[in-house]
């Protein structure tokens, strides 16, 4: 099928490249010309594991192309996936102006019937508005517009794999024609008949995804309700972690035990510095606002948000407890991306942490395997190290902020030697408390009992 994707960000680029991988002919457009130039030069504007290979292969084979002219998307595609951003407004509501603009453009440019698919995360009832805009601005075009919602459940860092091996494909439609078209688009995934680029063709056997057909309103609601529930789970784990710390229990044992109940499930129970990224925080806010505007007080979600905000303040207080005075201290920060395997720093816990520590007058030295360029844009004065060892040299404390696998494998004995004070605050429970203690570190993590270091006098809270 000829498919257009409007918006070549994390979602659009992964969607476009993977649809091409499934055999469709895909045109990806973005009105940011520099992004399209980068793609045309064979480079990616983002870091997403495996995506470079999929883009490169499909570009070479002629199934994937890019354009800075979104009007081409409207004329060339039989199906048009809208993947533009829906950032938060100051009120917390999702800003839908890009969706509106794209809908008007499609309506005025299209010359034949189109299936318009919303992939961007939008509040329920956006599909209805989208249909109205298409009909009103497209009157007289002779084209008929079908609208569908097809929310994405891609996680940054594993997005290619998530697209090709999803646990569910949700489509919200209002007629059978749209359902059939979307079924045709996803048939290779449903039948698992494609050469998987992630596992080089040899995918581990996995059950086929659930194919869920709903109304458009329900599909939109499924997306917001899913992300908000994930946010709730994380905040819950973080509260239990705080309690475990006070009671001398180990959060990892506790959440493992809790998660063994299949009604609860084991995933998304990792405590830490809270959830960040461009999805969970903004979707939670938008969902709360959607509920409010419809007379539903979703207070439990506001509480999940409050708990999340509190994580960084709590972490800074723990650091103060260990260091006593923060002002003038040299602190190493390992990890800036909002999670491992991405270069994305949008709403990352690191941002708030940097701001707070800078306000306290500490001297920071930061390092991340992928996010250095992006953090420099946001904090031009931040002292950026070339690697973890440089960041740690002479530091009074080292903070682990993102759970990059490469941090686990560092030569921690060398870091111990190089630090002015061998204090590690592990905000992601990445390292083993026993191993760090054996190396002589003063080591604190989240919700796990502190092990006293040889000769240490326990300072009572
Ligand atoms: C999230 C959802 O997981 C995807 O299903 C969804 O498609 C996507 O948002 C979206 O709406 O586009 P993503 O933002 O890539 O995906 O990241 P997650 O893996 O969900 O992590 C979000 C944040 O929660 C990260 O900061 C992560 O460190 C944190 N987290 C996650 C925890 O603190 N604990 C956990 O147990 C899991």
């Amino acid at each position: 099928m000829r498919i257009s994707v409007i918006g070549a960000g994390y979602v659009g680029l992964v969607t476009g490249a993977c649809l091409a991988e499934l055999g469709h002919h895909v045109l990806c457009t973005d009105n940011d010309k520099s992004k399209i130039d980068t793609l045309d030069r064979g480079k990616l504007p983002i870091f997403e594991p495996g995506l470079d290979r999929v883009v490169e292969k499909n570009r070479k084979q002629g199934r994937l192309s890019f354009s800075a002219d979104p009007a081409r998307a409207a004329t060339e595609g039989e199906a048009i996936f809208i993947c533009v951003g829906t950032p938060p407004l100051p009120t917390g509501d999702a800003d839908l102006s890009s969706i509106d603009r794209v809908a008007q453009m499609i309506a005025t440019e299209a010359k034949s019937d189109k299936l318009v698919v919303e992939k961007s995360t939008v509040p329920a009832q956006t599909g209805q508005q989208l249909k109205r805009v298409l009909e009103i601005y497209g009157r007289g075009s002779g084209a008929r517009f079908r609208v569908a919602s097809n929310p994405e459940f891609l996680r940054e860092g594993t997005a290619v794999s998530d697209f090709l091996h999803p646990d569910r494909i949700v489509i919200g439609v209002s007629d059978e024609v749209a359902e059939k078209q979307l079924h045709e688009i996803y048939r290779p995934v449903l039948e698992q008949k494609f050469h998987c680029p992630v596992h080089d063709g040899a995918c581990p056997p996995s059950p086929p995804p659930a194919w869920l057909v709903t109304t458009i309103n329900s599909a939109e609601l499924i997306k917001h309700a899913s992300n908000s529930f994930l946010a709730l789970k994380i905040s819950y784990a973080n509260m239990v972690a705080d309690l475990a710390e006070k009671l001398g229990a180990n959060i990892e044992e506790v959440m493992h035990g809790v998660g063994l109940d299949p009604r609860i499930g084991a995933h998304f129970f990792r405590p830490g510095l809270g959830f960040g990224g461009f999805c969970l925080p903004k979707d939670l806010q938008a969902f709360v606002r959607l509920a409010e505007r419809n007379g539903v007080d979703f207070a439990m979600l506001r509480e999940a948000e409050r708990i999340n905000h509190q994580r960084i303040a709590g972490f800074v207080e723990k650091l103060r407890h260990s260091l006593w005075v923060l002002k003038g201290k040299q602190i190493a920060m390992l990890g800036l991306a909002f999670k491992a395997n991405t270069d994305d720093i949008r709403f990352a816990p690191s941002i708030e942490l940097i701001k707070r520590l800078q306000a306290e007058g500490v001297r920071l030295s930061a390092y991340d395997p992928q996010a250095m360029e992006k953090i420099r844009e946001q904090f031009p004065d931040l002292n950026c190290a070339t690697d973890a060892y440089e960041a740690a040299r002479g530091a009074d404390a080292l903070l682990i902020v993102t759970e990059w696998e490469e941090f686990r494998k560092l030569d921690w004995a060398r870091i111990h030697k190089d630090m002015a004070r061998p204090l590690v605050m592990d905000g992601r429970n990445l390292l083993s408390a026993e191993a760090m203690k054996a190396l002589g570190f003063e080591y604190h993590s989240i919700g796990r009992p502190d092990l006293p270091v040889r000769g240490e006098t326990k300072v009572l809270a």
Side-chain angles (χ1 to χ4, degrees):
M1 199 179 282
R2 274 180 296 112
I3 297 177
S4 298
V5 174
I6 302 182
Y10 282 94
V11 174
L13 207 49
V14 173
T15 301
C18 290
L19 287 173
E21 183 70 29
L22 298 180
H24 302 294
H25 283 268
V26 180
L27 172 71
C28 260
T29 69
D30 199 296
N31 52 14
D32 180 348
K33 189 161 178 329
S34 67
K35 211 181 255 182
I36 298 299
D37 288 345
T38 306
L39 287 160
D40 278 338
R41 282 200 309 275
K43 299 242 169 345
L44 290 193
I46 53 164
F47 170 74
E48 179 62 41
L51 185 60
D52 47 355
R53 275 198 292 158
V54 184
V55 168
E56 182 62 6
K57 176 183 155 195
N58 287 283
R59 229 166 55 93
K60 282 201 171 133
Q61 295 182 356
R63 282 192 304 273
L64 180 64
S65 56
F66 303 101
S67 170
D69 176 12
R72 275 187 59 199
T75 47
E76 292 177 26
E78 298 161 60
I80 304 170
F81 282 72
I82 301 181
C83 300
V84 295
T86 52
L89 288 167
T91 54
D93 287 297
D95 180 352
L96 301 174
S97 55
S98 295
I99 304 256
D100 181 35
R101 184 175 40 76
V102 164
Q104 290 184 38
M105 185 279 293
I106 295 173
T108 47
E109 297 290 337
K111 307 278 181 291
S112 55
D113 292 358
K114 304 288 170 193
L115 172 68
V116 179
V117 186
E118 30 162 77
K119 236 223 189 290
S120 308
T121 301
V122 290
Q125 297 185 336
T126 300
Q128 288 170 12
Q129 298 295 347
L130 186 57
K131 196 160 173 33
R132 271 170 52 118
V133 172
L134 288 166
E135 279 166 1
I136 293 168
Y137 287 86
R139 69 191 183 284
S141 69
R144 178 165 176 193
F145 300 101
R146 292 198 160 76
V147 170
S149 163
N150 172 218
E152 53 86 16
F153 301 104
L154 312 174
R155 292 161 299 174
E156 288 181 27
T158 52
V160 173
S161 189
D162 288 349
F163 190 98
L164 297 170
H165 303 283
D167 42 29
R168 66 216 198 268
I169 297 175
V170 174
I171 60 156
V173 288
S174 51
D175 63 48
E176 265 186 23
V177 179
E179 180 185 339
K180 280 203 183 109
Q181 279 179 295
L182 279 160
H183 194 273
E184 192 51 27
I185 290 172
Y186 282 110
R187 197 160 44 83
V189 175
L190 293 163
E191 294 174 359
Q192 304 199 336
K193 280 196 187 134
F194 58 91
H195 179 94
C196 173
V198 182
H199 304 96
D200 210 13
C203 302
S206 59
W211 174 251
L212 182 61
V213 183
T214 68
T215 64
I216 296 177
N217 279 341
S218 296
E220 292 166 335
L221 199 51
I222 286 170
K223 169 68 192 198
H224 259 157
S226 297
N227 272 7
S228 297
F229 189 74
L230 291 174
L232 268 181
K233 264 191 116 172
I234 297 169
S235 281
Y236 184 77
N238 279 328
M239 290 310 289
V240 180
D242 285 355
L243 191 56
E245 224 167 273
K246 301 274 182 224
L247 300 175
N250 183 326
I251 188 66
E252 277 162 7
E253 292 170 355
V254 174
M255 287 339 247
H256 177 63
V258 173
L260 283 174
D261 183 334
R263 292 171 303 175
I264 298 175
H267 300 291
F268 263 65
F269 266 160
R270 287 190 329 271
L273 299 177
F275 53 83
F278 201 59
C279 302
L280 261 49
K282 83 170 170 64
D283 289 355
L284 186 69
Q285 272 186 19
F287 201 39
V288 170
R289 288 287 299 140
L290 177 72
E292 265 171 18
R293 276 188 286 102
N294 287 279
V296 176
D297 182 11
F298 223 146
M300 79 202 284
L301 291 186
R302 281 203 304 275
E303 186 58 14
E305 201 180 4
R306 188 195 65 78
I307 292 166
N308 201 52
H309 280 143
Q310 213 281 323
R311 297 311 290 168
I312 299 299
F315 193 61
V316 171
E317 283 322 302
K318 269 169 98 168
L319 179 64
R320 196 193 309 280
H321 183 69
S322 292
L323 277 182
W324 177 40
V325 171
L326 292 182
K327 191 172 176 186
K329 293 281 159 57
Q330 173 75 31
I331 306 225
M333 261 180 85
L334 295 194
L336 301 161
F338 82 97
K339 66 175 187 179
N341 301 318
T342 178
D343 60 349
D344 197 349
I345 57 165
R346 292 174 298 174
F347 298 99
S350 63
I351 307 269
E352 179 63 18
L353 192 54
I354 292 172
K355 286 183 184 161
R356 278 181 184 259
L357 292 176
Q358 284 182 335
E360 293 276 357
V362 308
R363 291 173 295 133
L364 280 173
S365 181
Y367 172 71
D368 186 280
Q370 290 293 339
M372 299 310 283
E373 208 177 299
K374 293 200 166 143
I375 209 78
R376 271 194 207 102
E377 282 166 21
Q378 193 153 343
F379 296 97
D381 298 333
L382 184 69
N383 180 23
C384 293
T386 50
D387 61 22
Y389 299 109
E390 188 187 303
R393 200 167 304 132
D396 299 294
L398 181 149
L399 316 180
I400 296 180
V401 184
T402 312
E403 66 285 12
W404 284 97
E405 192 52 33
E406 72 168 65
F407 296 157
R408 202 196 302 271
K409 297 178 186 147
L410 289 169
D411 180 350
W412 285 98
R414 174 179 163 191
I415 290 180
H416 182 274
K417 214 155 42 88
D418 285 353
M419 288 180 72
R421 172 178 172 171
L423 165 64
V424 170
M425 309 276 304
D426 185 349
R428 297 291 180 184
N429 289 357
L430 183 72
L431 306 173
S432 143
E434 286 76 14
M436 293 303 276
K437 183 197 166 193
L439 288 169
F441 277 100
E442 184 187 344
Y443 173 81
H444 304 285
S445 52
I446 309 281
R448 303 191 297 185
D450 288 338
L451 301 172
V453 179
R454 250 189 332 269
E456 181 195 53
T457 319
K458 188 123 183 66
V459 180
L460 294 175

